[in-house]
Amino acid sequence: MESPDRTDADLSPKQRLLTPVAKVRGVGPYRAEMLARLGIRTASDLLFAFPRDYLDLSDERLVSELEAGEMQTVRGTVVEVATSKSGFGKTRVSVLVRDASGHLRATWFNQPFISKRFFDGQAVLLSAKPKRRGLMWEMSHPTVTNLAQEEAESDGKKMLPIYSLTEGISQYYMRKMAEAAAEEFAEVPEEVFPEALLAKYSLLPLGEALQAIHQPDNAEAMEQARRRFIFQELFIMQLAVAIRRLQQQMQFAPELPTSTKIDARIRRLLPFELTESQTKAIEELTADMALARPMNRLLQGDVGSGKTIVALYAMLVAIAHGKQAALMAPTEILARQHAETLSELLTASRVHFAVLAGGTSKADRARILDGILEGEINVVLGTHAIIQDDVRFKQLGLIVIDEQHKFGVKQRAAMRQDDQSPHVLVMTATPIPRTVTMTMFGDLDVSTLRELPTGRQPVNTYLVEPDKQQRWWAFVRDRLREGRQAYVVAPLVDESETVSAPSVSAAYEQLTNGELEEFRMALLHGRMSSIEKQEVMDAFRAGETQVLVSTSVIEVGVDVANASVMTIAGAERFGLAQLHQLRGRVGRGSHAGFCGVLMVDEVNEQGRERLEAFSKSTDGFELAELDFKLRGPGDLFGTQQHGLPPLRIADLRRDREVLEEARREAQSLVASDPGLKQLDHARLRRQMLLRYGKALELGDVG
């Protein structure tokens, strides 16, 4: 039993940090309940709940003092909130703000929910680059800070932290609570970095950084504090990735070398010459497969660059050695598409393959499972159904995972067998920016296909302004009358009251009764059953359907050579990489492809910049980098899918240089101390296992 006069001084640092947040000065039981919604339950949670942004009031101005094009802040009072609608269900929210010198208008496009955040008389700070619109200054999509009455008048601080909030807690009180936590507990946590590393990268000590991140005196102090925690977060991640890679190199796999005889037999099955990129990628992966450790390679290539052929080559190498191969795809449509490709290419071979998916009947599944176990089936294609417990391979030599970002890290390892691991090839048609490769795919070697095979047709892309849309539909009708087929894509299945975007149900109804009423049309979306989706796709492939109105479910793998026209509505809702994937569904046969993006007047400046870049470039790598720069990695890959916890403070777009530093240092450290056993590295090891041990299956790293 604890002594009744025990003080904080008697507690260990860990015990102090586990102090219930209700006991932190200024919190109390009521606010503790609110903070629990944010996952903040202890003093440590509050201390490490970093601001998501800062409001730099060093350039706070009156409306009359504003200048165009520079980031500035205005403090004022809301005097009017208005919402207007235009075609295609688009909205514009307009908020009029007044200060002592005049009025400023803030506008948001296609975010109708914004209007509910404002009310007459509300004190706010607006930060953005203002533009002059007629006689009034205007800010488009500004950063908004609601000012509590207690802080409506400036308290002299020039850097205001902005925290993630929950209902019942304002920024004002969140700042006060975080400030109290920093004052009381900032010096309690133990430093994780060795002194030498702090000095090498000019990093603030932990206690000083915790104070400065919650209460920065100026922008420089804030940047120093953020840099310390950004480096720490990325460094711990890169330690985990480096150790994961080291562990993979210590596993055993069957040696599957490629001989001249095997190469000749495989090439005889291909009715075309391989591109230089394909040849180079094959050389890289066959070199990996010849080793006694498992290949872990990422094959990335632009739309139509021939990744499936490279994967087929690898599978045939495994089969030549008496092993089996499995190809896992994110959808049954894509799995069956791969089956059709293999059927065409393997007619002259003795390779047996089967499709195993959610729509496979019980009888067929039982037959296929027996064939896999007996080794009679050489290649299994399918969805997640491949990694069920009852799927047992006789001798699995290679796993190919298509569209890697649709699967989690653990699914890569789900088919390991006994004391040997199969070789693993993961593929993506979404080119990956280097910073993402270093984080989410840091444990993989990378091969890249940049050339397109001969015969691929160009795709002409047009931004179709509202006044030109009838001309576009006339163009689509002309192509359909020539015997071609068309896609129409929209982001939503049904119309939504909360999301301002086109839906396939509305598009289907409008087009069947209007612009495309003379043609045979069908709907396709993710809510349909596997059988329904397959029937729709089979009818479209057979030419029975002329126009397919779909969500982005057709983004990957759908290959209909006669489809030459695509119309995209609500394109601003898609990332550039996704738009490029969608566009890749046309121009796959002997006919040129055409892609029309239906524009709306309310697309904001950044949205228009993205769509203009899309219309001008057919280079998926270039578009992926631009998408990453403008929108971040969330639009390319979900980190949760990779088993990695989301980043708390680092930003892969902004912090690329820090990531490079952290990666080099982590690799050097793991090379010199593989198990992080040295005394100086013990706290780093604990931090890494706590954050990434489970996600990357690190276990006890030594």
Side-chain angles (χ1 to χ4, degrees):
M1 185 174 175
E2 289 190 7
S3 166
D5 7 71
R6 190 173 184 185
T7 65
D8 281 354
D10 300 317
L11 300 176
S12 68
K14 184 176 180 181
Q15 288 172 320
R16 286 195 65 193
L17 289 170
L18 291 176
T19 299
V21 73
K23 295 186 178 181
V24 175
R25 176 168 48 86
V27 179
Y30 173 74
R31 292 199 183 105
E33 284 186 27
M34 307 293 121
L35 290 173
R37 297 177 194 162
L38 296 170
I40 299 173
R41 295 178 174 83
T42 66
S44 176
D45 294 336
L46 184 55
L47 187 62
F48 286 92
F50 296 146
R52 59 178 172 80
D53 204 351
Y54 293 84
L55 198 55
D56 186 352
L57 302 183
S58 58
D59 198 3
E60 183 179 337
R61 305 188 184 194
L62 292 171
V63 170
S64 61
E65 298 170 337
L66 290 174
E67 296 178 30
E70 296 295 323
M71 183 64 73
Q72 293 145 78
T73 299
V74 169
R75 182 185 299 257
T77 303
V78 174
V79 295
E80 181 183 273
V81 182
T83 302
S84 58
K85 288 191 175 184
S86 62
F88 304 100
K90 302 299 180 182
T91 59
R92 180 178 190 252
V93 175
S94 177
V95 177
L96 193 63
V97 173
R98 179 185 64 211
D99 72 1
S101 70
H103 291 81
L104 168 76
R105 187 176 302 282
T107 58
W108 289 264
F109 294 107
N110 303 324
Q111 296 183 31
F113 56 86
I114 287 284
S115 63
K116 296 177 182 177
R117 298 182 182 176
F118 296 94
F119 55 87
D120 288 352
Q122 180 182 9
V124 294
L125 289 171
L126 301 178
S127 297
K129 296 177 180 180
K131 288 184 178 179
R132 194 82 182 185
R133 301 281 190 191
L135 299 176
M136 186 176 292
W137 285 103
E138 183 175 293
M139 287 182 174
S140 179
H141 292 251
T143 298
V144 180
T145 301
N146 296 321
L147 296 175
Q149 192 61 42
E150 296 90 336
E151 62 176 350
E153 297 299 323
S154 176
D155 57 5
K157 288 186 178 178
K158 294 300 182 186
M159 296 297 298
L160 281 181
I162 300 173
Y163 296 89
S164 296
L165 299 177
T166 186
E167 189 176 351
I169 295 180
S170 67
Q171 286 291 349
Y172 175 78
Y173 283 108
M174 191 69 186
R175 289 182 190 125
K176 291 294 184 186
M177 290 186 289
E179 187 176 320
E183 289 174 358
E184 187 175 353
F185 296 96
E187 298 299 331
V188 177
E190 297 176 308
E191 177 63 70
V192 298
F193 284 134
E195 282 290 335
L197 203 146
L198 287 174
K200 181 176 180 179
Y201 292 99
S202 303
L203 301 174
L204 289 181
L206 181 57
E208 189 179 336
L210 283 168
Q211 288 277 3
I213 203 161
H214 290 294
Q215 304 171 72
D217 293 328
N218 49 49
E220 183 182 357
M222 178 269 290
E223 287 295 345
Q224 285 185 323
R226 283 175 62 85
R227 185 178 183 279
R228 186 252 147 78
F229 290 114
I230 289 165
F231 184 92
Q232 179 173 329
E233 183 167 48
L234 295 175
F235 182 68
I236 296 295
M237 174 193 279
Q238 289 302 312
L239 278 179
V241 168
I243 286 176
R244 168 74 175 155
R245 191 179 182 90
L246 188 66
Q247 287 180 340
Q248 289 174 343
Q249 292 170 349
M250 295 168 65
Q251 295 171 1
F252 294 99
E255 296 177 38
L256 307 176
T258 302
S259 64
T260 305
K261 183 178 179 182
I262 291 173
D263 177 71
R265 281 165 53 194
I266 294 174
R267 287 177 185 265
R268 275 201 300 270
L269 296 172
L270 305 179
F272 42 74
E273 290 293 318
L274 297 172
T275 66
E276 286 186 24
S277 285
Q278 287 174 318
T279 300
K280 183 169 185 276
I282 286 170
E283 288 171 355
E284 291 168 344
L285 64 89
T286 52
D288 287 351
M289 292 174 68
L291 302 176
R293 59 176 175 79
M295 170 176 72
N296 282 282
R297 185 166 288 276
L298 170 68
L299 177 64
Q300 63 170 343
D302 212 338
V303 176
S305 57
K307 294 176 297 300
T308 304
I309 299 302
V310 175
L312 174 61
Y313 191 105
M315 290 191 286
L316 292 174
V317 168
I319 293 166
H321 287 276
K323 304 296 183 184
Q324 293 164 291
L327 191 157
M328 189 159 66
T331 67
E332 190 165 343
I333 289 176
L334 182 52
R336 294 193 182 279
Q337 183 80 55
H338 282 309
E340 287 183 21
T341 302
L342 262 61
S343 180
E344 292 171 7
L345 295 173
L346 299 179
T347 50
S349 79
R350 290 176 292 177
V351 174
H352 297 129
F353 63 89
V355 177
L356 195 60
T360 305
S361 69
K362 280 189 177 181
D364 284 345
R365 182 178 175 84
R367 178 181 53 77
I368 292 169
L369 291 179
D370 286 343
I372 296 171
L373 185 60
E374 296 299 322
E376 296 166 0
I377 293 176
N378 308 112
V379 180
V380 183
L381 306 105
T383 56
H384 295 75
I386 292 180
I387 56 173
Q388 302 302 313
D389 291 339
D390 61 346
V391 182
R392 302 295 299 170
F393 288 82
K394 184 178 182 181
Q395 283 190 309
L396 181 61
L398 173 69
I399 304 169
V400 179
I401 301 179
D402 198 7
E403 292 308 315
Q404 158 64 21
H405 63 284
K406 305 287 187 181
F407 295 100
V409 166
K410 291 186 178 179
Q411 289 164 321
R412 281 197 229 151
M415 290 187 283
R416 288 183 190 144
Q417 293 185 317
D418 306 322
D419 58 342
Q420 279 199 338
S421 296
H423 297 282
V424 178
L425 176 66
V426 297
M427 305 193 298
T428 178
T430 304
I432 306 170
R434 176 169 162 72
T435 44
V436 179
T437 305
M438 287 189 291
T439 51
M440 299 175 191
F441 299 96
D443 58 335
L444 298 171
D445 296 306
V446 181
S447 292
T448 301
L449 301 182
R450 286 191 172 271
E451 295 173 79
L452 294 182
T454 55
R456 278 306 301 264
Q457 296 298 312
V459 180
N460 306 284
T461 305
Y462 308 96
L463 300 187
V464 187
E465 301 294 345
D467 61 340
K468 301 288 193 302
Q469 289 180 10
Q470 288 309 311
R471 285 178 58 188
W472 170 256
W473 290 118
F475 175 81
V476 174
R477 288 193 292 270
D478 287 343
R479 302 290 78 73
L480 292 170
R481 287 166 186 152
E482 289 173 358
R484 305 289 76 74
Q485 290 166 276
Y487 299 101
V488 177
V489 178
L492 302 181
V493 176
D494 297 308
E495 289 192 57
S496 168
E497 293 183 3
T498 56
V499 180
S500 180
S503 69
V504 290
S505 57
Y508 182 80
E509 184 176 350
Q510 176 186 321
L511 294 173
T512 52
N513 294 296
E515 290 89 343
L516 303 180
E517 61 182 347
E518 66 185 271
F519 303 101
R520 299 182 301 279
M521 298 176 62
L523 261 177
L524 182 68
H525 54 75
R527 291 187 197 164
M528 298 165 66
S529 70
S530 296
I531 294 174
E532 289 172 328
K533 284 188 279 191
Q534 193 60 48
E535 287 175 349
V536 169
M537 282 309 306
D538 287 346
F540 190 64
R541 283 197 191 93
E544 297 166 12
T545 301
Q546 293 167 285
V547 181
L548 188 61
V549 183
S550 174
T551 57
S552 60
V553 70
I554 62 159
E555 171 191 354
V556 173
V558 174
D559 190 353
V560 178
N562 192 45
S564 66
V565 189
M566 171 168 287
T567 305
I568 304 176
E572 67 276 10
R573 306 288 304 185
F574 298 113
L576 279 178
Q578 193 173 27
L579 287 172
H580 186 56
Q581 284 289 313
L582 290 168
R583 175 171 59 185
R585 299 311 102 208
V586 296
R588 302 180 76 86
S590 58
H591 307 284
F594 302 92
C595 179
V597 175
L598 302 186
M599 299 294 288
V600 290
D601 292 328
E602 298 86 353
V603 175
N604 62 34
E605 189 175 331
Q606 188 189 86
R608 185 165 284 274
E609 178 187 351
R610 291 174 53 252
L611 294 178
E612 285 177 352
F614 172 63
S615 70
K616 293 173 183 173
S617 176
T618 55
D619 185 333
F621 291 89
E622 179 185 324
L623 292 173
E625 288 289 351
L626 179 59
D627 213 19
F628 178 71
K629 176 183 174 184
L630 294 175
R631 288 160 64 101
D635 294 284
L636 296 168
F637 309 98
T639 54
Q640 293 290 352
Q641 278 294 87
H642 292 263
L644 301 179
L647 294 172
R648 292 174 177 170
I649 190 168
D651 183 314
L652 296 182
R653 292 170 293 178
R654 179 195 63 214
D655 302 321
R656 179 168 179 163
E657 289 184 13
V658 181
L659 174 61
E660 297 271 8
E661 286 181 335
R663 181 176 173 80
R664 285 194 299 270
E665 188 64 34
Q667 289 175 338
S668 174
L669 184 62
V670 170
S672 64
D673 183 14
L676 300 183
K677 293 289 192 180
Q678 294 178 21
L679 192 60
D680 266 3
H681 303 153
R683 290 182 187 134
L684 284 171
R685 184 175 183 274
R686 278 202 302 273
Q687 284 288 317
M688 181 200 67
L689 288 174
L690 184 66
R691 187 145 174 80
Y692 293 106
K694 186 176 180 182
L696 290 178
E697 298 181 314
L698 295 172
D700 186 354
V701 295

